[in-house]
Amino acid sequence: MGLTLSVLDQSPISEGMTAEEALLNTVKLAQFVEQLGYARFWVSEHHDTNSLAGSSPEVLMAHLCAKTTRIRIGSGGVMLPHYSAYKVAENFKVLEGLHPGRIDLGVGRAPGGMPIATLALHDGKRRDVDRYPEQIDDLLAYLHNDLKEEHPFYGLKATPNIQTSPDVWLLGSSASSALLAAQKGLPFVFAQFINGEGGEYYTKLYRERFVPSKYLDKPRNMVAIFAICAETEEKAERIASSLDLSLLRIEQGIVSFGTPSPETAAAYRYSPFELKRIQENRKRMIVGTPRQIKEQLFRLSEAYETDEIMLVTITYDFQDKLTSFELIAKEIFA
Protein backbone atom coordinates (compact mmCIF):
# COMPACT_ATOMS: atom_id res chain seq x y z
CA MET A 1 0.00 0.00 0.00
CA GLY A 2 1.27 3.46 -0.86
CA LEU A 3 1.54 6.05 1.88
CA THR A 4 0.76 9.74 1.56
CA LEU A 5 2.63 12.07 3.88
CA SER A 6 1.73 15.60 4.90
CA VAL A 7 3.17 18.22 7.24
CA LEU A 8 1.84 20.26 10.15
CA ASP A 9 4.13 23.12 11.11
CA GLN A 10 3.65 25.19 14.26
CA SER A 11 6.33 27.75 13.36
CA PRO A 12 8.44 26.74 16.38
CA ILE A 13 10.92 29.21 17.84
CA SER A 14 14.24 27.83 19.09
CA GLU A 15 16.14 29.42 21.96
CA GLY A 16 18.02 32.41 20.55
CA MET A 17 15.79 32.61 17.47
CA THR A 18 13.40 35.45 16.64
CA ALA A 19 9.74 34.96 15.73
CA GLU A 20 10.51 36.50 12.35
CA GLU A 21 13.07 33.78 11.68
CA ALA A 22 10.58 31.11 12.72
CA LEU A 23 7.96 32.39 10.29
CA LEU A 24 10.53 32.54 7.49
CA ASN A 25 11.51 28.95 8.29
CA THR A 26 7.88 27.89 7.89
CA VAL A 27 7.87 29.36 4.38
CA LYS A 28 11.17 27.65 3.53
CA LEU A 29 9.86 24.35 4.88
CA ALA A 30 6.67 24.55 2.82
CA GLN A 31 8.68 25.10 -0.35
CA PHE A 32 11.09 22.31 0.58
CA VAL A 33 8.51 19.62 1.35
CA GLU A 34 6.51 20.55 -1.74
CA GLN A 35 9.54 19.64 -3.85
CA LEU A 36 9.93 16.39 -1.91
CA GLY A 37 6.38 15.26 -2.70
CA TYR A 38 4.45 15.85 0.52
CA ALA A 39 0.71 16.30 -0.09
CA ARG A 40 -0.39 18.97 2.41
CA PHE A 41 1.18 21.68 4.52
CA TRP A 42 -0.90 22.87 7.47
CA VAL A 43 -0.16 25.61 9.99
CA SER A 44 -1.44 25.96 13.54
CA GLU A 45 -2.99 28.54 15.85
CA HIS A 46 -1.33 29.29 19.19
CA HIS A 47 -1.59 32.42 21.31
CA ASP A 48 0.62 34.19 23.86
CA THR A 49 3.59 31.85 23.62
CA ASN A 50 7.34 32.40 23.27
CA SER A 51 7.81 29.00 21.62
CA LEU A 52 5.47 29.08 18.61
CA ALA A 53 5.07 31.94 16.13
CA GLY A 54 1.93 30.73 14.35
CA SER A 55 -0.98 32.72 15.83
CA SER A 56 -2.98 33.46 12.66
CA PRO A 57 -3.18 30.48 10.29
CA GLU A 58 -5.34 32.28 7.71
CA VAL A 59 -2.80 35.06 7.22
CA LEU A 60 0.14 32.67 7.12
CA MET A 61 -1.73 30.41 4.68
CA ALA A 62 -2.21 33.28 2.23
CA HIS A 63 1.52 33.91 2.17
CA LEU A 64 2.35 30.21 1.87
CA CYS A 65 -0.03 29.77 -1.05
CA ALA A 66 1.73 32.61 -2.87
CA LYS A 67 5.13 31.04 -2.20
CA THR A 68 4.21 27.51 -3.37
CA THR A 69 2.52 26.08 -6.46
CA ARG A 70 1.05 22.61 -5.90
CA ILE A 71 0.95 21.47 -2.28
CA ARG A 72 -2.37 21.85 -0.46
CA ILE A 73 -2.24 24.54 2.21
CA GLY A 74 -4.41 24.30 5.31
CA SER A 75 -5.11 25.23 8.90
CA GLY A 76 -4.25 22.77 11.62
CA GLY A 77 -6.36 24.38 12.76
CA VAL A 78 -8.63 27.34 13.26
CA MET A 79 -9.94 27.27 16.85
CA LEU A 80 -13.54 27.90 15.84
CA PRO A 81 -15.12 28.79 19.22
CA HIS A 82 -13.01 31.95 19.27
CA TYR A 83 -14.59 33.29 16.09
CA SER A 84 -17.64 33.96 13.98
CA ALA A 85 -18.30 31.02 11.66
CA TYR A 86 -19.37 33.55 9.06
CA LYS A 87 -16.04 35.38 9.11
CA VAL A 88 -14.05 32.14 9.05
CA ALA A 89 -16.06 31.05 5.99
CA GLU A 90 -15.34 34.32 4.20
CA ASN A 91 -11.62 34.14 5.01
CA PHE A 92 -11.37 30.66 3.56
CA LYS A 93 -13.55 31.41 0.54
CA VAL A 94 -11.13 34.21 -0.33
CA LEU A 95 -8.22 31.78 0.01
CA GLU A 96 -10.03 29.15 -2.08
CA GLY A 97 -10.93 31.77 -4.69
CA LEU A 98 -7.30 32.76 -5.03
CA HIS A 99 -6.01 29.17 -5.01
CA PRO A 100 -8.81 26.84 -6.18
CA GLY A 101 -8.49 23.22 -5.09
CA ARG A 102 -5.57 23.84 -2.74
CA ILE A 103 -7.20 24.92 0.53
CA ASP A 104 -7.94 22.78 3.60
CA LEU A 105 -9.90 24.19 6.51
CA GLY A 106 -9.05 22.23 9.64
CA VAL A 107 -11.04 23.30 12.70
CA GLY A 108 -10.79 22.46 16.39
CA ARG A 109 -12.23 23.59 19.70
CA ALA A 110 -9.13 23.81 21.90
CA PRO A 111 -8.29 27.29 23.23
CA GLY A 112 -4.80 27.34 21.69
CA GLY A 113 -3.41 29.28 24.61
CA MET A 114 -3.72 30.18 28.27
CA PRO A 115 -6.99 31.52 29.78
CA ILE A 116 -5.86 35.16 29.61
CA ALA A 117 -5.44 34.87 25.82
CA THR A 118 -8.88 33.30 25.53
CA LEU A 119 -10.41 36.19 27.49
CA ALA A 120 -8.67 38.70 25.25
CA LEU A 121 -9.88 36.91 22.10
CA HIS A 122 -13.43 37.14 23.44
CA ASP A 123 -13.09 40.74 24.62
CA GLY A 124 -13.37 39.64 28.22
CA LYS A 125 -16.46 37.48 27.69
CA ARG A 126 -16.87 33.76 28.37
CA ARG A 127 -15.87 31.36 25.58
CA ASP A 128 -18.94 29.26 24.73
CA VAL A 129 -17.38 26.01 23.56
CA ASP A 130 -20.76 24.26 23.83
CA ARG A 131 -21.80 25.98 20.59
CA TYR A 132 -18.99 24.30 18.67
CA PRO A 133 -21.20 21.65 16.96
CA GLU A 134 -23.65 24.36 15.92
CA GLN A 135 -20.77 26.51 14.67
CA ILE A 136 -19.62 23.65 12.45
CA ASP A 137 -23.08 23.46 10.91
CA ASP A 138 -23.06 27.22 10.32
CA LEU A 139 -19.56 27.12 8.84
CA LEU A 140 -20.51 24.42 6.35
CA ALA A 141 -23.71 26.24 5.42
CA TYR A 142 -21.83 29.51 4.82
CA LEU A 143 -19.15 27.78 2.76
CA HIS A 144 -21.80 26.20 0.52
CA ASN A 145 -24.38 29.01 0.73
CA ASP A 146 -27.17 26.71 1.90
CA LEU A 147 -28.47 28.12 5.19
CA LYS A 148 -31.75 26.54 6.18
CA GLU A 149 -34.91 28.66 6.16
CA GLU A 150 -35.23 28.44 9.94
CA HIS A 151 -31.76 29.90 10.42
CA PRO A 152 -31.91 33.45 11.85
CA PHE A 153 -29.59 34.66 9.06
CA TYR A 154 -31.36 32.84 6.23
CA GLY A 155 -30.60 34.51 2.90
CA LEU A 156 -27.15 35.69 4.00
CA LYS A 157 -24.31 34.76 1.64
CA ALA A 158 -20.67 34.33 2.54
CA THR A 159 -18.70 36.03 -0.20
CA PRO A 160 -16.98 35.80 -2.58
CA ASN A 161 -19.32 33.50 -4.50
CA ILE A 162 -16.76 31.06 -5.88
CA GLN A 163 -17.04 27.83 -7.86
CA THR A 164 -15.28 25.53 -5.36
CA SER A 165 -15.12 25.17 -1.59
CA PRO A 166 -12.25 24.34 0.76
CA ASP A 167 -12.23 20.87 2.29
CA VAL A 168 -13.27 20.93 5.96
CA TRP A 169 -11.51 18.60 8.43
CA LEU A 170 -12.34 18.15 12.10
CA LEU A 171 -9.29 17.94 14.36
CA GLY A 172 -9.23 16.31 17.76
CA SER A 173 -7.50 14.22 20.39
CA SER A 174 -10.49 12.67 22.17
CA ALA A 175 -13.47 10.38 21.68
CA SER A 176 -15.87 13.33 21.65
CA SER A 177 -14.08 14.93 18.70
CA ALA A 178 -14.05 11.63 16.81
CA LEU A 179 -17.77 11.09 17.40
CA LEU A 180 -18.58 14.67 16.39
CA ALA A 181 -16.71 14.22 13.10
CA ALA A 182 -18.61 10.98 12.52
CA GLN A 183 -21.94 12.62 13.28
CA LYS A 184 -21.25 15.53 10.92
CA GLY A 185 -19.99 13.26 8.14
CA LEU A 186 -16.63 15.02 7.93
CA PRO A 187 -13.01 13.81 7.68
CA PHE A 188 -11.18 13.48 10.99
CA VAL A 189 -7.57 13.98 12.08
CA PHE A 190 -6.46 12.47 15.38
CA ALA A 191 -3.66 14.46 17.03
CA GLN A 192 -1.44 11.74 18.46
CA PHE A 193 1.26 14.38 18.90
CA ILE A 194 -1.03 15.88 21.56
CA ASN A 195 -2.48 12.71 23.08
CA GLY A 196 -0.48 9.49 22.91
CA GLU A 197 -3.30 7.36 24.31
CA GLY A 198 -6.47 6.02 22.73
CA GLY A 199 -6.08 7.32 19.22
CA GLU A 200 -6.59 4.00 17.48
CA TYR A 201 -9.76 3.31 19.48
CA TYR A 202 -11.17 6.82 18.98
CA THR A 203 -10.56 6.63 15.25
CA LYS A 204 -12.21 3.22 15.14
CA LEU A 205 -15.25 4.80 16.82
CA TYR A 206 -15.21 7.47 14.13
CA ARG A 207 -15.26 4.89 11.35
CA GLU A 208 -17.95 2.77 13.01
CA ARG A 209 -20.27 5.69 13.79
CA PHE A 210 -19.71 7.62 10.57
CA VAL A 211 -22.86 9.08 9.00
CA PRO A 212 -22.52 9.83 5.26
CA SER A 213 -23.11 13.47 4.37
CA LYS A 214 -23.25 15.69 1.30
CA TYR A 215 -19.57 16.42 1.98
CA LEU A 216 -18.26 12.88 2.41
CA ASP A 217 -19.79 9.49 1.60
CA LYS A 218 -17.43 7.30 3.64
CA PRO A 219 -15.01 7.76 6.56
CA ARG A 220 -11.72 9.49 5.87
CA ASN A 221 -9.13 9.92 8.58
CA MET A 222 -5.54 10.90 9.22
CA VAL A 223 -3.24 10.76 12.21
CA ALA A 224 -0.75 13.51 13.10
CA ILE A 225 2.39 12.59 15.06
CA PHE A 226 5.75 14.06 16.04
CA ALA A 227 8.51 12.66 13.82
CA ILE A 228 12.28 13.06 13.99
CA CYS A 229 14.53 11.20 11.57
CA ALA A 230 18.33 11.19 11.22
CA GLU A 231 21.01 9.09 9.56
CA THR A 232 21.71 7.20 12.78
CA GLU A 233 19.56 6.25 15.75
CA GLU A 234 22.01 7.99 18.08
CA LYS A 235 21.73 11.27 16.20
CA ALA A 236 17.93 11.04 16.02
CA GLU A 237 17.78 10.52 19.79
CA ARG A 238 20.07 13.50 20.36
CA ILE A 239 17.91 15.74 18.20
CA ALA A 240 14.73 14.47 19.85
CA SER A 241 16.07 15.27 23.32
CA SER A 242 15.26 18.93 22.64
CA LEU A 243 11.60 18.07 22.14
CA ASP A 244 11.64 15.80 25.20
CA LEU A 245 12.74 18.70 27.41
CA SER A 246 10.42 21.18 25.70
CA LEU A 247 7.38 19.00 26.38
CA LEU A 248 8.43 18.60 30.02
CA ARG A 249 8.64 22.36 30.43
CA ILE A 250 5.16 22.77 28.98
CA GLU A 251 3.72 20.16 31.34
CA GLN A 252 5.38 21.81 34.34
CA GLY A 253 4.19 25.29 33.40
CA ILE A 254 7.74 26.54 33.07
CA VAL A 255 8.01 29.70 30.95
CA SER A 256 10.02 28.71 27.91
CA PHE A 257 11.93 30.94 25.54
CA GLY A 258 11.95 28.43 22.73
CA THR A 259 13.01 24.92 21.90
CA PRO A 260 16.16 24.11 23.89
CA SER A 261 19.32 22.82 22.27
CA PRO A 262 20.43 19.18 22.56
CA GLU A 263 23.32 20.47 24.69
CA THR A 264 20.86 22.07 27.11
CA ALA A 265 18.86 18.85 27.21
CA ALA A 266 22.00 16.78 27.84
CA ALA A 267 23.03 19.01 30.75
CA TYR A 268 19.60 18.90 32.40
CA ARG A 269 19.36 16.76 35.53
CA TYR A 270 16.16 14.76 35.10
CA SER A 271 14.31 13.41 38.12
CA PRO A 272 12.98 9.83 38.02
CA PHE A 273 9.48 11.24 37.53
CA GLU A 274 10.62 13.38 34.60
CA LEU A 275 12.30 10.38 32.96
CA LYS A 276 8.99 8.53 33.21
CA ARG A 277 7.19 11.50 31.65
CA ILE A 278 9.66 11.47 28.75
CA GLN A 279 8.98 7.78 28.24
CA GLU A 280 5.23 8.48 28.28
CA ASN A 281 5.56 11.41 25.88
CA ARG A 282 7.43 9.20 23.43
CA LYS A 283 4.03 7.66 22.63
CA ARG A 284 3.42 10.94 20.83
CA MET A 285 6.54 10.58 18.65
CA ILE A 286 8.31 8.40 16.17
CA VAL A 287 12.10 8.76 16.32
CA GLY A 288 14.84 6.92 14.46
CA THR A 289 16.61 6.17 11.21
CA PRO A 290 14.80 6.24 7.85
CA ARG A 291 14.20 2.49 7.96
CA GLN A 292 12.91 2.65 11.55
CA ILE A 293 10.64 5.57 10.73
CA LYS A 294 9.27 3.73 7.70
CA GLU A 295 8.40 0.71 9.82
CA GLN A 296 6.68 2.90 12.42
CA LEU A 297 4.75 4.84 9.78
CA PHE A 298 3.37 1.69 8.21
CA ARG A 299 2.42 0.34 11.63
CA LEU A 300 0.54 3.59 12.26
CA SER A 301 -1.10 3.36 8.86
CA GLU A 302 -2.34 -0.13 9.64
CA ALA A 303 -3.46 0.73 13.18
CA TYR A 304 -5.43 3.79 12.07
CA GLU A 305 -6.60 2.26 8.78
CA THR A 306 -5.39 5.28 6.85
CA ASP A 307 -3.05 5.85 3.91
CA GLU A 308 -2.17 9.42 4.96
CA ILE A 309 -0.11 10.52 7.96
CA MET A 310 0.72 14.08 8.98
CA LEU A 311 4.16 14.71 10.47
CA VAL A 312 5.00 17.38 13.05
CA THR A 313 8.72 18.02 13.49
CA ILE A 314 10.26 20.32 16.09
CA THR A 315 14.04 20.51 16.30
CA TYR A 316 16.44 23.06 17.75
CA ASP A 317 18.37 23.31 14.48
CA PHE A 318 16.31 24.05 11.38
CA GLN A 319 18.67 22.07 9.15
CA ASP A 320 17.96 18.97 11.26
CA LYS A 321 14.28 19.52 10.51
CA LEU A 322 14.85 19.76 6.76
CA THR A 323 17.04 16.67 6.85
CA SER A 324 14.38 14.73 8.77
CA PHE A 325 11.70 15.43 6.17
CA GLU A 326 14.13 14.69 3.33
CA LEU A 327 15.26 11.34 4.74
CA ILE A 328 11.66 10.26 5.34
CA ALA A 329 10.61 11.29 1.84
CA LYS A 330 13.46 9.37 0.22
CA GLU A 331 12.57 6.26 2.23
CA ILE A 332 8.79 6.40 1.64
CA PHE A 333 8.51 7.87 -1.85
CA ALA A 334 11.41 5.99 -3.46
Side-chain angles (χ1 to χ4, degrees):
M1 180 183 68
L3 194 60
T4 299
L5 297 181
S6 294
V7 177
L8 168 62
D9 193 59
Q10 300 171 305
S11 303
I13 305 170
S14 295
E15 288 181 347
M17 177 188 289
T18 66
E20 291 87 345
E21 289 175 299
L23 291 170
L24 182 58
N25 283 345
T26 291
V27 178
K28 292 178 180 177
L29 181 63
Q31 294 171 326
F32 187 70
V33 298
E34 177 177 57
Q35 296 303 312
L36 292 172
Y38 287 81
R40 309 173 196 273
F41 190 91
W42 289 7
V43 291
S44 61
E45 176 184 334
H46 293 90
H47 305 285
D48 190 32
T49 172
N50 298 315
S51 299
L52 304 170
S55 58
S56 180
E58 308 94 324
V59 175
L60 186 51
M61 285 174 61
H63 186 67
L64 291 170
C65 283
K67 293 293 184 176
T68 55
T69 58
R70 172 199 58 79
I71 195 168
R72 291 188 69 93
I73 301 294
S75 57
V78 169
M79 299 299 103
L80 192 55
H82 288 319
Y83 310 112
S84 154
Y86 181 66
K87 183 57 178 174
V88 172
E90 290 202 320
N91 284 342
F92 278 79
K93 290 186 83 168
V94 169
L95 288 169
E96 178 72 17
L98 289 168
H99 306 279
R102 290 186 61 203
I103 303 300
D104 292 328
L105 171 48
V107 297
R109 61 179 147 197
M114 299 304 287
I116 190 171
T118 296
L119 280 172
L121 284 163
H122 292 262
D123 201 23
K125 300 181 178 65
R126 177 180 173 272
R127 176 177 181 258
D128 189 3
V129 73
D130 294 336
R131 288 196 62 250
Y132 180 59
E134 180 184 337
Q135 282 189 294
I136 293 171
D137 291 337
D138 286 348
L139 177 63
L140 292 167
Y142 288 134
L143 287 172
H144 297 274
N145 283 332
D146 60 359
L147 284 177
K148 295 179 180 179
E149 289 189 20
E150 60 267 25
H151 196 281
F153 301 140
Y154 176 70
L156 176 67
K157 297 290 190 296
T159 54
N161 292 313
I162 55 177
Q163 304 303 307
T164 58
S165 295
D167 287 350
V168 177
W169 290 75
L170 259 60
L171 319 180
S173 56
S174 66
S176 60
S177 296
L179 291 171
L180 183 61
Q183 175 193 341
K184 301 296 184 185
L186 293 172
F188 175 63
V189 185
F190 181 79
Q192 186 165 326
F193 72 99
I194 293 175
N195 180 9
E197 298 283 354
E200 297 170 24
Y201 173 68
Y202 302 149
T203 305
K204 182 181 178 183
L205 279 181
Y206 162 74
R207 291 192 300 271
E208 291 176 347
R209 306 283 184 89
F210 182 83
V211 179
S213 68
K214 66 176 72 174
Y215 315 108
L216 193 64
D217 61 354
K218 59 184 179 181
R220 184 182 185 189
N221 63 279
M222 277 195 287
V223 56
I225 191 165
F226 283 125
I228 294 175
C229 185
E231 295 88 348
T232 66
E233 187 174 357
E234 181 182 11
K235 185 173 183 180
E237 288 292 336
R238 178 178 176 275
I239 294 168
S241 67
S242 295
L243 183 54
D244 289 332
L245 180 55
S246 185
L247 293 177
L248 274 182
R249 287 175 171 177
I250 293 170
E251 291 179 350
Q252 296 170 356
I254 297 172
V255 175
S256 173
F257 294 94
T259 304
S261 67
E263 290 75 20
T264 298
Y268 187 89
R269 299 182 67 177
Y270 295 92
S271 70
F273 172 78
E274 288 173 327
L275 291 173
K276 288 181 180 179
R277 285 306 309 160
I278 287 176
Q279 185 177 9
E280 187 68 20
N281 282 333
R282 282 299 183 98
K283 296 177 182 178
R284 300 155 62 181
M285 309 179 200
I286 53 174
V287 178
T289 64
R291 183 175 294 276
Q292 290 171 329
I293 293 291
K294 181 178 182 178
E295 291 172 354
Q296 294 176 78
L297 285 173
F298 276 96
R299 281 201 297 269
L300 273 176
S301 173
E302 183 177 351
Y304 281 88
E305 296 186 30
T306 181
D307 61 2
E308 184 168 358
I309 297 174
M310 185 162 275
L311 307 181
V312 191
T313 300
I314 295 180
T315 63
Y316 172 76
D317 186 275
F318 183 61
Q319 185 57 51
D320 288 337
K321 186 174 188 171
L322 296 180
T323 299
S324 180
F325 281 113
E326 184 175 20
L327 290 172
I328 294 172
K330 287 180 176 178
E331 188 70 22
I332 298 297
F333 303 148

